[in-house]
Amino acid sequence: MNGGFYRVDKFVVPEAAREEFLLNVLMVHEVLQVQPGFMGHSVLEQVSGPGEFNFVTIAQWESAEVAERVKIAVQTAQKACRLDPQALFQRLGIRADIASYRPVAA
């Protein structure tokens, strides 16, 4: 993954919430992969301790402007599914660190 603009989201997910969390991730991925300017998406998982998982999702976009437009498309899809990510995370005990990154010129 070189160039472009990156959205990197980190989640700490209790074991009991893992399946429902992954269903949400898959729904978002379906929306992402059909968006203009989408360059790739990875989902990484790590067992972080008894009953807890760390997930990192990385999406690459052509530019920050494209990523912002896609954010609106994802929010629209979530509303259509009656999904409120903040309420979902609170209900399931998921902690999230959401951030955007750009490549550093070497």
Side-chain angles (χ1 to χ4, degrees):
M1 291 185 164
N2 294 321
F5 183 83
Y6 296 83
R7 168 78 183 252
V8 180
D9 300 340
K10 303 171 191 173
F11 305 94
V12 178
V13 180
E15 185 173 6
R18 185 178 179 276
E19 185 176 325
E20 189 171 349
F21 171 78
L22 285 175
L23 288 173
N24 180 57
V25 168
L26 292 173
M27 185 275 295
V28 169
H29 179 72
E30 287 180 18
V31 174
L32 297 181
Q33 66 184 353
V34 299
Q35 300 299 314
F38 176 72
M39 297 176 71
H41 186 240
S42 296
V43 179
L44 308 169
E45 175 183 29
Q46 173 192 49
V47 176
S48 61
E52 194 169 81
F53 296 85
N54 290 330
F55 285 90
V56 176
T57 63
I58 304 168
Q60 183 182 11
W61 303 99
E62 289 178 355
S63 68
E65 295 77 21
V66 168
E68 189 60 33
R69 284 195 307 270
V70 171
K71 179 179 170 183
I72 294 166
V74 168
Q75 290 171 344
T76 300
Q78 289 171 328
K79 285 180 184 176
C81 294
R82 294 185 171 167
L83 176 65
D84 177 352
Q86 297 302 332
L88 175 76
F89 293 170
Q90 185 174 8
R91 179 174 59 79
L92 296 177
I94 296 171
R95 297 185 311 273
D97 177 17
I98 310 298
S100 298
Y101 293 81
R102 62 176 185 212
V104 176

